[in-house]
Amino acid sequence: MLRSLALAGACVMLAGFALSSPTPPLSLSARLAAPGGTSPMVPTARIDALLARLPHRQGAVPGSGGVALHWVALDPGDYRLQYRYLGMGERFPEFSLDASVPATRPPAPRGTVILLHGWMMDGGSLLPWALELAQHGYRTIALDLRNHGRSGQAPSGYGTREGQDVAAALHALDAEGEIDGPVHLLGVSYGAATAIFAARELGPRLRSVVAMESFDNAGHAIRTMVPHMLSRPPERISDYLALPLARWQYGGSGLDAAIAAADRRLGIDLDRVDVGRALAQVPACVLLLHGRDDAHIPVAQGRALAAAAPHARYLELQGEDHLTLPLRLDRLSGVVEDWFAQASSDGTQCPIPTTPLDGASTVGAT
């Protein structure tokens, strides 16, 4: 059991822009331009220790512009996965996780799933999903996005440049024999937006996408995320001074100025990073998942994505927020597995998503 992996899972859910503290040492514009490290809540050593006990392959392939992208692959097999969602802990939702070496040789994959993590995370943070899907017959490949984990540094694109990276990495992995069967993408938050941009790049090469709690527009998302993060109550003595200062500095026009400075650093206009427009151009089947109680990326942004692409399917889960939704393998694993299994090869007949028995509403699935 790796109880401390709960912290990694919590980070995954902290959306595309979660700060490791309310007042990071980097300026907000610098943090928006690049994460400035991995969140201290990610137990990298423990994740690596679990992977070291399991058969896997890893390496690096070039992304767009040659940036090196680290990957970890798991073959299908019975990992005797033991996963349990434990609910809200003292600060974050928690889960337990353990797995074992499969007793038999891996069967032929029924497809390949590329896993894409959130901001300030890495591919290891999606280990529960990697094992769950591998146990159901898929080869899973977790990528570290640019500026994250063991991948190289390059200007962030809020999904645009990262989507090009994913397309380039998939072609390189295919040439190395790592891609087998239909290809699917599963992304969380920043990784979900990346998955949508990558799906537009990949076109008919891709079978389907699952995008959990994506933002619809990068600039809009930052303007909701940062105030929410700064509204949290103080957790340390230093926060009693730092939080009011940060609220003063980044309230009103200060946040707009930080976004404009990030624009200049990155050479893009964050207010024009339009995920909905990209989604409308994706030929593959796309399932959008959003927690109704999400305060980091409000549910209105998920609904806006669904409205931008009538062919996409949208599932909204009651009682889930940005922290809990990707942890709910108990509610979502069947939904995701059915989606991958039923998606048509040409995107013309996208399935109606399975609805969890414990409550959800489906929009845009007719």
Side-chain angles (χ1 to χ4, degrees):
M1 178 183 293
L2 296 179
R3 181 179 176 87
S4 62
L5 276 175
L7 297 178
C11 287
V12 173
M13 282 66 73
L14 277 176
F17 320 101
L19 308 178
S20 59
S21 65
T23 54
L26 298 176
S27 70
L28 180 57
S29 64
R31 184 56 61 89
L32 292 173
T38 302
S39 170
M41 292 187 289
V42 182
T44 302
R46 292 180 178 266
I47 291 173
D48 289 345
L50 177 58
L51 281 174
R53 293 198 286 112
L54 301 174
H56 69 281
R57 297 178 302 284
Q58 61 183 317
V61 290
S64 176
V67 60
L69 301 176
H70 184 260
W71 58 271
V72 174
L74 293 171
D75 281 328
D78 181 8
Y79 291 88
R80 297 187 289 281
L81 177 63
Q82 297 180 39
Y83 178 90
R84 184 183 178 192
Y85 175 68
L86 301 175
M88 182 59 67
E90 183 177 347
R91 293 181 58 196
F92 303 107
E94 297 183 359
F95 63 85
S96 61
L97 174 69
D98 198 6
S100 303
V101 176
T104 60
R105 296 183 62 181
R110 60 192 298 192
T112 302
V113 181
I114 308 296
L115 302 166
L116 305 171
H117 60 81
W119 186 261
M120 291 191 72
M121 301 302 298
D122 59 24
S125 63
L126 289 175
L127 184 59
W129 277 106
L131 287 167
E132 171 70 22
L133 292 168
Q135 188 155 280
H136 281 81
Y138 293 95
R139 175 173 293 161
T140 62
I141 302 178
L143 283 180
D144 289 353
L145 300 178
R146 58 170 60 194
N147 304 315
H148 293 80
R150 296 180 176 90
S151 289
Q153 303 295 304
S156 299
Y158 281 73
T160 56
R161 291 162 177 158
E162 292 83 353
Q164 294 174 353
D165 287 342
V166 172
L170 191 147
H171 291 308
L173 288 165
D174 197 8
E176 294 184 9
E178 293 292 343
I179 306 299
D180 197 335
V183 178
H184 309 270
L185 300 179
L186 185 150
V188 174
S189 193
Y190 194 92
T194 295
I196 291 169
F197 282 108
R200 184 177 65 176
E201 295 284 330
L202 291 167
R205 180 69 180 87
L206 188 67
R207 176 67 61 88
S208 75
V209 179
V210 173
M212 296 187 187
E213 53 200 21
S214 175
F215 54 87
D216 68 329
N217 175 283
H220 297 169
I222 294 168
R223 289 182 175 87
T224 57
M225 170 68 73
V226 172
H228 172 71
M229 298 298 293
L230 293 178
S231 70
R232 298 180 302 176
E235 298 176 354
R236 299 165 299 185
I237 294 177
S238 60
D239 292 344
Y240 285 91
L241 175 62
L243 271 172
L245 288 174
R247 291 167 185 157
W248 171 78
Q249 183 175 2
Y250 298 121
S253 60
L255 181 54
D256 289 332
I259 293 172
D263 288 346
R264 292 190 292 272
R265 288 173 180 265
L266 297 175
I268 61 175
D269 185 343
L270 291 170
D271 286 320
R272 293 182 179 275
V273 177
D274 190 337
V275 185
R277 180 179 299 176
L279 177 60
Q281 299 169 357
V282 173
C285 293
V286 179
L287 174 59
L288 305 169
L289 299 172
H290 220 101
R292 186 168 295 173
D293 298 334
D294 195 333
H296 294 82
I297 303 293
V299 71
Q301 297 192 33
R303 294 172 181 173
L305 276 180
H311 70 285
R313 307 303 196 210
Y314 177 65
L315 191 62
E316 195 171 284
L317 276 79
Q318 300 175 6
E320 305 298 345
D321 60 27
H322 211 76
L323 297 178
T324 66
L325 181 70
L327 283 179
R328 297 307 302 268
L329 274 69
D330 55 329
R331 297 187 70 182
L332 291 175
S333 60
V335 175
V336 172
E337 289 151 15
D338 287 348
W339 178 261
F340 288 160
Q342 297 176 24
S344 65
S345 59
D346 58 4
T348 59
Q349 296 183 352
C350 298
I352 304 299
T354 304
T355 302
L357 296 178
D358 49 356
S361 61
T362 306
V363 181
T366 58

